[in-house]
Amino acid sequence: MWIIATLIVYAIARQIALKLRHPVFNPLLISLIVLMPMVIYSGDTYQIYFEQNQIINFMLGPAVIALAYPLYEQMHVIHRHWRTILIACTLASCASMILGSLIAVWVGGDLQIAASVLPKSVSTPFALSTAEHIGGIPAVTAALVVVAGLFGALIGYPLLNALKVKSSLARGLSIGAVSHAIGTAKAAESNYQEGAMSSLALVICGIITTILAPFVYPIIAFVVNYTAT
């Protein structure tokens, strides 16, 4: 039942997005707004909904792997700018982890919430693994990953346009670094090269976050504990 409902709602949301062409009408956002009340009022739990949509969740892996093809076609750009790409992704990953965790603590969250927030800007497989490893709550992280992706997809391009960022490399990397697959889908719709650079940032930032998070989180915990004493 729920897989059929999900596909129908997303197909309609997709058509709305294509006709209106405004960041607010993001297909995923529309689908969430429609499906969440449906699940709540039906009396079913999220677990039931998730179980009936296992095939969609399974397709997440192949979909991410499919992003490798646009990267292959942009190898000349990657070869020319690999230092810039690596530095940008490293700085973006560190900034996202540090600022997100500190803001979570600043607004009243404990260190477990901070650990859950820390990997929010990378794709779900990376984020859940990282959160679990550093003591976060995977369920909270999963929700924040969706929020981060939607936030980037909704305001990423308007913000880049307001800042007059023209480079496809810069635009693609910035979207992929902070809004993972959801932002990458938006980037691919806007410009093929930006979509490729966004998918590259998605992968690199995921790897960097996974590697650095076990070292960054103890530093954040030390700073929080030290300032609290």
Side-chain angles (χ1 to χ4, degrees), residues 6 50 60 70 77 87 96 107 123 175 192 199 211 215 219-220:
T6 300
F50 182 79
L60 178 62
V77 178
I87 292 172
S96 177
V107 298
S123 62
I175 292 293
Y192 189 80
S199 63
I211 294 173
F215 302 99
I219 296 174
I220 293 172

Side-chain angles (χ1 to χ4, degrees), residues 83-123:
R83 292 183 182 84
T84 300
I85 293 170
L86 188 58
I87 292 172
C89 289
T90 301
L91 292 176
S93 297
C94 291
S96 177
M97 288 189 286
I98 294 170
L99 291 177
S101 300
L102 292 179
I103 290 174
V105 174
W106 180 61
V107 298
D110 57 20
L111 286 174
Q112 189 176 35
I113 294 298
S116 305
V117 172
L118 187 144
K120 70 185 184 318
S121 294
V122 296
S123 62

Side-chain angles (χ1 to χ4, degrees), residues 23 150-162 171 174-175 178-179:
L150 285 172
F151 192 76
L154 290 173
I155 74 162
Y157 273 106
L159 180 60
L160 290 171
N161 293 335
R171 290 165 69 91
S174 60
I175 292 293
V178 298
S179 53

Side-chain angles (χ1 to χ4, degrees), residues 25-114:
F25 297 99
N26 182 280
L28 181 57
L29 179 60
I30 296 174
S31 299
L32 286 172
I33 293 173
V34 174
L35 288 168
M36 287 176 66
M38 288 175 62
V39 174
I40 293 172
Y41 288 118
S42 71
D44 287 340
T45 63
Y46 171 74
Q47 286 73 21
I48 294 174
Y49 176 84
F50 182 79
E51 288 173 2
Q52 294 187 16
N53 282 276
Q54 283 282 8
I55 183 64
I56 296 177
N57 185 64
F58 172 78
M59 292 303 296
L60 178 62
V64 172
I65 294 173
L67 294 173
Y69 183 71
L71 289 180
Y72 173 75
E73 294 191 321
Q74 299 296 321
M75 283 302 296
H76 62 288
V77 178
I78 298 171
H79 179 73
R80 189 183 315 130
H81 299 288
W82 69 268
R83 292 183 182 84
T84 300
I85 293 170
L86 188 58
I87 292 172
C89 289
T90 301
L91 292 176
S93 297
C94 291
S96 177
M97 288 189 286
I98 294 170
L99 291 177
S101 300
L102 292 179
I103 290 174
V105 174
W106 180 61
V107 298
D110 57 20
L111 286 174
Q112 189 176 35
I113 294 298

